Short mmCIF file of all heavy atoms in Angstrom, two decimals:
data_model
loop_
_atom_site.label_atom_id
_atom_site.label_comp_id
_atom_site.label_asym_id
_atom_site.label_seq_id
_atom_site.Cartn_x
_atom_site.Cartn_y
_atom_site.Cartn_z
N PHE V 110 9.46 1.95 1.94
CA PHE V 110 8.79 0.64 2.12
C PHE V 110 9.73 -0.57 2.10
O PHE V 110 9.29 -1.69 2.12
CB PHE V 110 7.69 0.44 1.07
CG PHE V 110 6.61 1.51 1.00
CD1 PHE V 110 6.39 2.25 -0.17
CD2 PHE V 110 5.85 1.80 2.09
CE1 PHE V 110 5.42 3.19 -0.22
CE2 PHE V 110 4.87 2.76 2.13
CZ PHE V 110 4.70 3.50 0.89
N THR V 111 11.01 -0.33 2.01
CA THR V 111 12.00 -1.41 1.88
C THR V 111 12.74 -1.58 3.19
O THR V 111 12.63 -0.77 4.10
CB THR V 111 12.97 -1.13 0.70
OG1 THR V 111 13.54 0.20 0.85
CG2 THR V 111 12.19 -1.24 -0.59
N ILE V 112 13.62 -2.61 3.24
CA ILE V 112 14.34 -2.94 4.44
C ILE V 112 15.13 -1.72 4.95
O ILE V 112 15.77 -0.99 4.17
CB ILE V 112 15.25 -4.18 4.23
CG1 ILE V 112 15.81 -4.71 5.60
CG2 ILE V 112 16.38 -3.85 3.27
CD1 ILE V 112 16.42 -6.08 5.39
N ASP V 113 15.08 -1.50 6.31
CA ASP V 113 15.86 -0.46 6.89
C ASP V 113 17.26 -0.90 7.05
O ASP V 113 17.61 -1.77 7.92
CB ASP V 113 15.23 -0.13 8.26
CG ASP V 113 15.91 1.10 8.95
OD1 ASP V 113 17.02 1.49 8.46
OD2 ASP V 113 15.36 1.59 9.88
N VAL V 114 18.16 -0.42 6.20
CA VAL V 114 19.54 -0.86 6.14
C VAL V 114 20.24 -0.59 7.50
O VAL V 114 21.14 -1.31 7.90
CB VAL V 114 20.30 -0.21 4.97
CG1 VAL V 114 21.75 -0.62 4.97
CG2 VAL V 114 19.63 -0.62 3.65
N THR V 115 19.87 0.43 8.18
CA THR V 115 20.48 0.80 9.47
C THR V 115 20.19 -0.23 10.53
O THR V 115 20.82 -0.20 11.62
CB THR V 115 20.05 2.20 9.93
OG1 THR V 115 18.68 2.19 10.30
CG2 THR V 115 20.33 3.22 8.87
N ARG V 116 19.22 -1.09 10.31
CA ARG V 116 18.83 -2.05 11.33
C ARG V 116 19.32 -3.50 10.99
O ARG V 116 18.94 -4.45 11.65
CB ARG V 116 17.28 -2.12 11.49
CG ARG V 116 16.57 -0.80 11.70
CD ARG V 116 17.21 -0.06 12.93
NE ARG V 116 17.02 -0.73 14.16
CZ ARG V 116 16.02 -0.60 15.00
NH1 ARG V 116 15.01 0.19 14.71
NH2 ARG V 116 15.95 -1.27 16.17
N ILE V 117 20.19 -3.64 9.96
CA ILE V 117 20.58 -4.93 9.51
C ILE V 117 21.69 -5.47 10.45
O ILE V 117 21.61 -6.64 10.89
CB ILE V 117 21.08 -4.94 8.09
CG1 ILE V 117 19.90 -4.77 7.14
CG2 ILE V 117 21.84 -6.17 7.72
CD1 ILE V 117 20.20 -4.66 5.66
N GLU V 118 22.69 -4.63 10.72
CA GLU V 118 23.86 -5.21 11.51
C GLU V 118 23.53 -5.69 12.86
O GLU V 118 24.11 -6.63 13.33
CB GLU V 118 24.98 -4.09 11.54
CG GLU V 118 25.69 -3.96 10.15
CD GLU V 118 26.97 -3.21 10.26
OE1 GLU V 118 26.95 -1.98 10.41
OE2 GLU V 118 28.10 -3.87 10.20
N GLU V 119 22.51 -5.07 13.51
CA GLU V 119 22.14 -5.56 14.82
C GLU V 119 21.48 -6.90 14.78
O GLU V 119 21.35 -7.57 15.85
CB GLU V 119 21.14 -4.56 15.45
CG GLU V 119 19.79 -4.46 14.76
CD GLU V 119 18.97 -3.30 15.25
OE1 GLU V 119 19.47 -2.20 15.34
OE2 GLU V 119 17.79 -3.57 15.50
N LYS V 120 21.10 -7.35 13.56
CA LYS V 120 20.48 -8.73 13.40
C LYS V 120 21.51 -9.81 13.06
O LYS V 120 21.19 -10.95 13.08
CB LYS V 120 19.46 -8.67 12.29
CG LYS V 120 18.35 -7.65 12.48
CD LYS V 120 17.39 -8.07 13.61
CE LYS V 120 16.28 -7.15 13.77
NZ LYS V 120 15.34 -7.57 14.88
N ILE V 121 22.77 -9.36 12.84
CA ILE V 121 23.75 -10.35 12.36
C ILE V 121 24.31 -11.10 13.57
O ILE V 121 24.72 -10.56 14.60
CB ILE V 121 24.87 -9.63 11.64
CG1 ILE V 121 24.31 -9.02 10.26
CG2 ILE V 121 26.03 -10.58 11.29
CD1 ILE V 121 25.31 -8.16 9.57
N THR V 122 24.37 -12.43 13.42
CA THR V 122 24.97 -13.34 14.43
C THR V 122 25.96 -14.21 13.72
O THR V 122 26.06 -14.20 12.48
CB THR V 122 23.87 -14.24 15.07
OG1 THR V 122 23.51 -15.25 14.18
CG2 THR V 122 22.69 -13.32 15.54
N PRO V 123 26.69 -15.08 14.45
CA PRO V 123 27.59 -16.05 13.78
C PRO V 123 26.88 -16.96 12.83
O PRO V 123 27.50 -17.58 11.92
CB PRO V 123 28.22 -16.79 14.93
CG PRO V 123 28.16 -15.86 16.10
CD PRO V 123 26.88 -15.12 15.94
N ARG V 124 25.54 -17.13 12.95
CA ARG V 124 24.81 -18.05 12.10
C ARG V 124 24.28 -17.32 10.80
O ARG V 124 23.71 -18.01 9.94
CB ARG V 124 23.66 -18.70 12.79
CG ARG V 124 23.95 -19.52 14.01
CD ARG V 124 24.91 -20.67 13.64
NE ARG V 124 24.48 -21.53 12.56
CZ ARG V 124 23.89 -22.71 12.76
NH1 ARG V 124 23.66 -23.19 13.96
NH2 ARG V 124 23.49 -23.43 11.66
N THR V 125 24.42 -16.04 10.78
CA THR V 125 23.84 -15.30 9.60
C THR V 125 24.66 -15.56 8.42
O THR V 125 25.90 -15.48 8.39
CB THR V 125 23.88 -13.77 9.88
OG1 THR V 125 23.20 -13.52 11.15
CG2 THR V 125 23.17 -12.99 8.80
N LYS V 126 23.97 -15.92 7.31
CA LYS V 126 24.69 -16.22 6.08
C LYS V 126 24.19 -15.35 4.81
O LYS V 126 24.92 -15.29 3.87
CB LYS V 126 24.48 -17.71 5.74
CG LYS V 126 25.10 -18.66 6.69
CD LYS V 126 26.62 -18.50 6.71
CE LYS V 126 27.26 -19.55 7.63
NZ LYS V 126 26.99 -19.37 9.00
N ALA V 127 23.02 -14.74 4.96
CA ALA V 127 22.54 -14.05 3.78
C ALA V 127 21.56 -12.94 4.17
O ALA V 127 20.97 -12.94 5.28
CB ALA V 127 21.89 -14.99 2.81
N ILE V 128 21.37 -11.95 3.23
CA ILE V 128 20.35 -10.94 3.39
C ILE V 128 19.53 -11.02 2.15
O ILE V 128 20.00 -11.18 1.01
CB ILE V 128 20.96 -9.57 3.48
CG1 ILE V 128 22.06 -9.50 4.56
CG2 ILE V 128 19.89 -8.50 3.72
CD1 ILE V 128 22.85 -8.24 4.52
N VAL V 129 18.18 -10.92 2.26
CA VAL V 129 17.31 -10.90 1.17
C VAL V 129 16.49 -9.55 1.11
O VAL V 129 15.46 -9.42 1.75
CB VAL V 129 16.28 -12.09 1.17
CG1 VAL V 129 15.38 -12.00 -0.08
CG2 VAL V 129 17.05 -13.38 1.26
N PRO V 130 17.05 -8.53 0.48
CA PRO V 130 16.34 -7.29 0.35
C PRO V 130 15.17 -7.41 -0.63
O PRO V 130 15.36 -8.17 -1.66
CB PRO V 130 17.33 -6.28 -0.17
CG PRO V 130 18.31 -7.16 -0.90
CD PRO V 130 18.37 -8.47 -0.19
N VAL V 131 14.03 -6.85 -0.37
CA VAL V 131 12.90 -6.91 -1.29
C VAL V 131 12.65 -5.50 -1.85
O VAL V 131 12.51 -4.49 -1.13
CB VAL V 131 11.57 -7.39 -0.51
CG1 VAL V 131 10.42 -7.43 -1.47
CG2 VAL V 131 11.80 -8.79 0.11
#
Side-chain angles (χ1 to χ4, degrees):
F110 304 121
T111 53
I112 192 167
D113 186 346
V114 177
T115 67
R116 308 307 298 267
I117 289 177
E118 284 194 285
E119 67 190 48
K120 301 290 182 177
I121 296 173
T122 75
R124 298 303 305 261
T125 307
K126 294 297 186 293
I128 310 169
V129 182
V131 180

